[in-house]
Each structure stands twice: as C-alpha cells, then as structure tokens.
C-alpha cells in the first residue's frame, strides 16, 4: 500500500455554502430518489448536516485501515489500492458486523428490503478508476470538496490551516482511527460539529492480538488436555495393574500395558 | 373425541401458542422483512436475536464440553451419568444458534460463504468456523445415542467401535473449539471501543466471555438434570449435582476477581457508582450472576437440596443472560443515542426456536438412553466407554 499513491477528499467546512449539490449528484449517480434526507440512509450516502451556521458533510471516511473491512467475515469490504473502501454485494451475507464495527457510524442497512444489502460511499471508486472525480466533488460549485493524491491533499490542508489563523489547527481524518481518505478542516472545533473524537490507533489493531493468540491457545490448550488425559489414563492403568497384582504373584509386566 | 381432548394439556397448549407465534414471526421476517419484523436500526444493528439467541445460546451450551472433558479427559467418573444430558443440551443449544442465524442474517441463503470466502482478520470469520466445526463435533459426540437405536447389529457395532476410537480426540477438539468460540464471541466486541460502555468494554472481553460461560453452562446443565429428575422420571443421583455446584462458586470467584481487577486497571471502575441506567444494570448483572449465587452456594442447605440448588443455578443463568444482553444491547444505547426495544416478533421467533429445542430435548430423553431412568434397573452408563 505504501508504494502506491492513494486518492483522498478534502472537505473545507469554511467554504461549504450548504447548496446540497453533492447530495443531489450522489443520488443521481446511484439512481436514488431525489428527496433530501437529514441523515445518512441507504439512499443518501452523503448528506449535509446543519450545525449552527456551519454545514458539515457526512460520508464514509474510507479509512486507511478500515474496521469494517477487518470485521467482514467474507471479505466483501475491501480497502482498494486506490484508496476507496469498496463493498462487493455478491459476497455479503447480511451479518451487519461492519455496521457494529464502524467507529464513524457510517454504513447503512436496507432494513426495508427483502434482499437487504449494506450501503455506503466508496468515493465513486468506479469513476476514479477511469480517472474521473467523485460525483460529489465534481458537483461542488465552490470547491468546498476537492479530490487528489492523498499526500498532496494533506499538504494542501496543512497549508490552509497554517496560513489562515481562523482554522482549528487539526486536520480531521489525518489521525482519527489510524487515518482516513476523507479529511475535514474547519474554523469551529470538530467536537462541536458532531464529529467523534477518536484515538489514532487503527481499529483492527484491537482484534489483532486476540486473533494472534489463537495458535498459542490451540497449542497450549491442546497439549494441556492431552497431558491431563495421559495422566488420567496412566492412573487407570496403574490402578488396574495393582488390582491384578495379588492374584498374579508379583508379575509386574501387566503394568507396562 | 374425549380421547383427543384429553391430549390437550396446559403445557401442550402453551407450546402450541408459542410455536404459532414463532411461525408468524418467521412469516414477518421472510415475507415482510427486517423493518416489519424487528426494531433493529443502524444504531442497533444487532439486537435480541444476536444478544439472546446467539450469545446466550452458545454460552449456556458450555456445559457440554466442560462435563465431557471432566469425565473423559480428567477421569471424573462420577459425573458420567450426566455426560449425555450435558452433550444433548449443548448440541440442541448449538442447533438453536444455527437456526437463529437463518433469520438473523440478512441473506441466509449465503450462509455457506465463509467456507469459501475467507477473511482471517475477522473475528466473526473465526466464530463462523467454530460454529461449523463444533456443531459437527457435538453431533458426533451425541451420535451414539441415536446409533444405538439402529436395528442392524453389524452396522451399529461398527459405528460404535469407530466412535469409541475417536471419542477422546473428539472431546479434546471439542474442548478447544468450544473454548475458542466462547472467547471469540467476546472478541467480536473488541472493535466497539468508544461505543460500548466502559463498564463492559475491555481488551480482555474474550477471557471474560470464556470465564463466565463455563459456570453458566454448568448451571444450565444442573437445571436441566434437575428438571429431568422431577418430571421425566429420571434418576440422577442428586449428590452429583451438589458436587457439580461446588465447582460453580470458585469459578464465579475467579470471574469476579478477574472482572474487578480489569475494571480497576482500565478505568471502568469510575462508572461503578454513578446514578445511571448502565451502572444499575451492571449491579443487577453482578448481583444475579456472582453475589447471590456465591452466598447461596456457600450454604449446605442450598447445595444439598435439589430444588434450592435449581433456583440458585437459575440465578446464575439469569445473571449470565443479563450480562450478554448488556454487552449486546443496553451498553450501546448511550453511544448510539437509540433506545432499542425488541418487537414482539423478535421475541416470538427466539422463544419458538428455544421451545422447539425443549420439545426435541423432551423426546430425546423419553426415547433415547440419555439419562439413568427409574424403570430400567440395569442401565448401562455409557455403552461406548465400556468396551
């Protein structure tokens, strides 16, 4: 992953005018009904939330080391080399562990459908492979959202928050949950915009230890049980031999069986 | 007509009502969908079916591997009369879990996907393999009770001989698989750091799940054995149950000690005495699962009286269920901001699945050699182990 360049989106909250062009572009490209929705839903993979006089765009953060991809037992969710976290609906069994695992509470489930799937933004992976921009970024009339190579996007964000004193001196997404592919910069503290404060440790590290212990548990547990069984069995043999002994006039060979 | 009417007893009526409600639940789930049959949302994507059906179902089935290991591997021969009851309970417990998956998965017809699509970074992947393998082991462990009924002698004896040869291996593999499975269920919640309330979140959730499942499984086995004695004409020496109960209190001590140290080291202890729903539920759980049983089990009059023992064990099981429902439901409410109350169809489907297992248990005990019964004087303890 380190050798290949990945894509990232930067959302500058100070620039967003709340026109919802991104929402509409997203709905259009996915063929969803056009009605504006207040929260993320299976038919709204990005939404603009009002927080006072700021507009905060919600979408999948496409983490660098995604909790959902580590959780998915069949590997339907994947971190692609290009950066987006994609969802292969043909693999999904509908366990919903990705929804349980996501630290940003992003994936949505089609609860009303008889054949339900998980829905989340994948940064328009199919478009980006062809060199096009994500639909939401392309639609933004004021370039509040921009897309580019991750390092360059991070540099741009860094430049903006250093040059202009109004910005909070943090790029949301640079560290959160081990880093993401979607960044936010803002002039209002992120916790006031309903954005979760998260540790910089990638979520999958939380389960890595438990899974790494498996071979040890199997080996130690298995040997312990086998050892205990050997002792039990040996005791039985000795007890059996001692029972036999008096009648066999000290013939100790029975003990060896 | 009067003969037909006499067959309608109170219990049969209750069972019929539960199964009918379960059938409606199944109809709602498969013909109308999650939205009509459950109150699950993106804030509470796992609810009663996972919390009660899977987590409690697997935990209560922990008695099978513990008793089988005690008898076959550690040589505690005196528990032999309850081996088959314990294994049957675990086997049926796992069957309810597998059946439960059929309605809790969104796309149950793809349940086989984990066999060919692997993600070894996923705890749930390991869980799915534990379920597949351990259910197979349990069905093999239980199989002699059915094979003994095969009328063809040659086939029967060939199978039983083969079974006797692999039995020790089966019990060992079963103990390891079951231990892993119990732990992994706790491991599922390791990813929920920051969402799960600090009174329950711990990096040692796998260990805590394991340590709590064993006493719960043993308690459930004692309860079932008692019920067989009371209403199934069984003759299990109550002293065996008393002896089993003497293992439970130390196990609960170990659990409480581990949980306490863990709470104090990771800082969850700060939430212990706050006036909030989570803290109250925590104390309800600890009171039912640890404090009350430990006090009661220290009394000779409780341990040696089968009915008192049964009631004490039911406290352990209820406390255990409270713990699993806290981890899977209530401890998420604060972070998700969503108050989840299961829809009645969620209850009815789970209840019907458990009831079906109870009916299957009843018939198994009635028609197979599961436990020593009063009428048969020379009951062979375990035909496979006498060879």
């Amino acid at each position: 992953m380190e050798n290949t360049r990945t894509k990232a989106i930067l959302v500058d909250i100070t620039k967003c005018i709340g026109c919802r062009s991104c929402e509409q572009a997203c709905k259009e490209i996915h063929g969803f009904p056009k009605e504006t929705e207040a929260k993320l839903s299976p038919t709204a993979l990005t939404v603009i939330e009002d927080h006072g006089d700021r507009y905060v765009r919600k979408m999948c953060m496409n983490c660098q080391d995604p909790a959902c991809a580590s959780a998915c037992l069949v590997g339907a969710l994947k971190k692609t080399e290009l950066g987006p976290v994609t969802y292969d609906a043909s693999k999904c069994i509908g366990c919903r562990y990705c929804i349980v695992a996501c630290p940003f509470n992003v994936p949505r489930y089609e609860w009303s459908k008889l054949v339900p799937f998980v829905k989340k933004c994948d940064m328009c992976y199919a478009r980006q492979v062809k060199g096009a921009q994500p639909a939401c970024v392309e639609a933004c009339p004021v370039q509040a959202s921009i897309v580019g190579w991750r390092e360059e996007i991070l540099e741009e964000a860094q430049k903006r928050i250093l040059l202009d004193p109004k910005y909070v001196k943090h790029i949301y997404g640079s560290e959160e949950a081990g880093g993401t592919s979607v960044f936010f910069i803002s002039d209002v503290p992120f916790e006031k915009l309903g954005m979760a404060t998260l540790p910089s440790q990638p979520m999958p590290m939380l389960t890595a230890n438990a899974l790494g212990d498996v071979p040890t548990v199997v080996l130690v547990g298995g040997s312990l049980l086998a050892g205990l069984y050997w002792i039990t069995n040996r005791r039985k043999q000795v007890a059996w031999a001692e029972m036999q002994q008096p009648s066999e006039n000290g013939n100790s060979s029975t003990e060896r069986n | 007509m009067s003969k037909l009417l006499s067959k309608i007893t109170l219990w049969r009526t209750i069972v019929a009502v539960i199964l009918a409600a379960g059938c409606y639940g199944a109809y709602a789930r498969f013909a109308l969908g999650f939205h009509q049959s459950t109150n699950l949302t993106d804030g509470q994507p796992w609810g009663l079916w996972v919390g009660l059906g899977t987590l409690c179902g697997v935990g209560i089935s922990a008695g099978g591997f513990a008793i089988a290991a005690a008898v076959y591997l550690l040589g505690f021969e005196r528990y032999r009369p309850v081996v088959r009851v314990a294994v049957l309970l675990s086997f049926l417990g796992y069957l309810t879990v597998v059946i439960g998956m059929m309605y809790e998965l969104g796309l149950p017809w793809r349940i086989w996907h984990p066999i060919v699509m692997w993600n070894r970074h996923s705890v749930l992947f390991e869980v799915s393999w534990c379920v597949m393998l351990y259910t197979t082991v349990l069905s093999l462990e239980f199989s002699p009770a059915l094979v003994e009924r095969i009328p063809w002698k040659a086939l029967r004896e060939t199978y039983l001989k083969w079974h006797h040869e692999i039995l020790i291996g089966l019990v060992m593999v079963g103990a390891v698989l079951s231990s892993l499975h119990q732990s992994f269920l706790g491991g599922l919640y390791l990813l929920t750091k920051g969402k799960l309330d600090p009174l329950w979140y711990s990096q040692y959730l796998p260990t805590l799940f394991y340590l709590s499942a064993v006493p719960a499984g043993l308690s459930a086995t004692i309860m079932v054995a008692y019920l067989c004695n009371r209403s199934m004409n069984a003759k299990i020496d109550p002293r065996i149950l008393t002896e089993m109960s003497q293992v439970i209190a130390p196990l609960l001590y170990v659990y409480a000690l581990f949980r306490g140290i863990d709470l104090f080291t990771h800082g969850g202890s700060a939430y212990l005495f706050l006036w909030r729903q989570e803290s109250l539920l925590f104390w309800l759980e600890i009171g039912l699962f640890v404090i009350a049983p430990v006090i009661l089990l220290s009394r000779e009059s409780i341990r040696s009286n089968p009915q008192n023992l049964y009631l004490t064990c039911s406290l352990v099981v209820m406390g255990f269920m409270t713990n699993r429902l806290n981890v899977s439901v209530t401890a998420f409410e604060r972070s998700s901001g969503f108050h989840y109350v299961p829809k009645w169809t969620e209850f009815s489907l789970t209840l019907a699945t458990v009831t079906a297992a109870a009916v299957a248990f009843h018939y198994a005990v009635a028609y197979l050699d599961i436990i020593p019964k009063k009428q048969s004087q020379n009951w062979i303890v375990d035909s496979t182990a006498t060879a």
Side-chain angles (χ1 to χ4, degrees), chain B residues 51-356:
Chain B
L52 190 67
T54 305
L55 297 187
C56 294
V58 171
I60 284 168
S61 305
F65 95 84
I67 303 277
V71 172
Y72 293 113
L73 304 182
L74 309 184
F76 289 102
E77 287 295 326
R78 56 189 182 276
Y79 294 152
R80 197 172 277 268
V82 289
V83 167
R84 282 193 170 186
V85 189
V87 170
L88 175 62
L89 178 64
S90 301
F91 179 49
L92 290 173
Y94 268 72
L95 282 186
T96 63
V97 169
V98 172
I99 292 167
M101 279 172 194
M102 294 300 165
Y103 48 79
E104 76 199 24
L105 287 178
L107 310 166
W109 53 91
R110 293 181 174 179
I111 196 167
W112 54 272
H113 276 195
I115 299 174
V116 290
M117 301 170 191
W118 289 26
N119 176 13
R120 285 155 84 180
H121 299 292
S122 167
V123 181
L124 194 58
F125 173 75
E126 311 277 334
V127 165
S128 69
W129 273 89
C130 284
V131 174
M132 286 188 262
L133 294 176
Y134 190 50
T135 309
T136 311
V137 167
L138 277 171
S139 58
L140 283 173
E141 278 186 32
F142 177 69
S143 62
L146 288 170
V147 172
E148 283 161 8
R149 288 287 184 267
I150 293 177
W152 306 291
K153 190 165 180 243
L155 176 65
R156 189 174 66 218
E157 295 199 334
T158 313
Y159 182 87
L160 291 177
K161 193 160 170 272
W162 171 76
H163 187 268
H164 179 62
E165 270 163 21
I166 64 159
L167 182 62
I168 295 297
L170 268 184
V171 173
M172 276 186 209
V173 171
V176 172
L177 281 174
S178 177
S179 303
L180 283 176
H181 189 198
Q182 300 291 351
S183 317
F184 279 146
L185 287 183
L188 286 177
Y189 290 92
L190 289 173
L191 274 176
T192 63
K193 192 174 189 176
K195 289 189 186 180
L196 191 67
D197 192 86
L199 281 177
W200 288 277
Y201 187 86
S202 154
Q203 66 175 113
Y204 296 107
L205 267 170
T207 318
L208 287 166
F209 262 54
Y210 180 65
L211 290 178
S212 53
V214 178
L218 287 177
S219 300
T221 311
I222 293 177
M223 289 173 72
V224 163
Y226 167 79
L227 288 175
C228 289
N229 267 359
R230 207 187 66 171
S231 39
M232 292 290 299
N233 216 12
K235 203 176 73 177
I236 296 168
D237 189 341
R239 279 173 301 181
I240 297 176
L241 304 184
T242 305
E243 251 185 75
M244 277 168 67
S245 76
Q246 282 168 332
V247 187
I248 293 175
L251 288 174
L252 293 177
Y253 275 125
V254 170
Y255 172 77
L257 191 70
F258 195 92
R259 181 111 189 247
I261 293 172
D262 181 53
L263 272 175
F264 277 94
T265 46
H266 77 66
S269 52
Y271 297 84
L272 278 176
F273 301 105
L274 298 182
W275 184 252
R276 35 171 230 154
Q277 182 191 289
E278 287 86 349
S279 304
L280 293 176
L281 285 167
F282 172 86
W283 286 110
L284 175 70
E285 166 192 325
I286 294 295
L288 284 171
F289 187 59
V290 180
I291 300 173
V294 160
I295 293 171
L296 290 169
L297 286 172
S298 68
R299 292 162 178 266
E300 176 64 27
S301 61
I302 301 286
R303 287 198 307 266
S304 54
N305 177 314
Q307 191 175 356
N308 290 343
L309 185 59
Y310 169 80
L311 292 172
T312 309
C313 286
S314 70
L315 290 182
V316 176
V317 171
M318 280 193 283
F320 172 81
M321 288 164 64
T322 313
N323 170 262
R324 294 307 194 253
L325 287 169
N326 278 341
V327 172
S328 58
V329 177
T330 63
F332 280 105
E333 286 191 345
R334 189 171 296 266
S335 62
S336 73
F338 175 73
H339 181 57
Y340 163 77
V341 180
K343 207 167 250 185
W344 76 268
T345 37
E346 289 180 71
F347 282 107
S348 79
L349 250 176
T350 298
L351 197 61
T353 313
V354 174
T355 306

Side-chain angles (χ1 to χ4, degrees), chain A residues 131-143:
Chain A
Q133 292 190 337
C136 55
V137 175
E138 200 179 73
C140 185
V142 292
Q143 290 185 310

Side-chain angles (χ1 to χ4, degrees), chain A residues 69-72 89-97 99-100 102 105 108-109 111 114 203 206 211 214 229 232, chain B residues 30 33-35 41-42 45-46 73-75 104 106-107 110 113 119 121-122 124-126 184 188 190-191 195:
Chain A
S70 90
C72 182
S90 69
K91 286 185 172 180
C92 180
I93 65 171
C95 73
R96 314 185 292 284
Y97 189 30
I99 307 176
V100 174
C102 177
N105 298 313
R108 291 294 181 267
Y109 203 58
W111 298 105
L114 279 183
M203 304 302 282
L206 296 167
L211 289 170
V214 172
Y229 172 66
T232 307
Chain B
F30 292 111
F34 277 114
H35 187 64
T41 64
D42 295 312
W46 285 356
L73 304 182
L74 309 184
E104 76 199 24
L107 310 166
R110 293 181 174 179
H113 276 195
N119 176 13
H121 299 292
S122 167
L124 194 58
F125 173 75
E126 311 277 334
F184 279 146
L188 286 177
L190 289 173
L191 274 176
K195 289 189 186 180

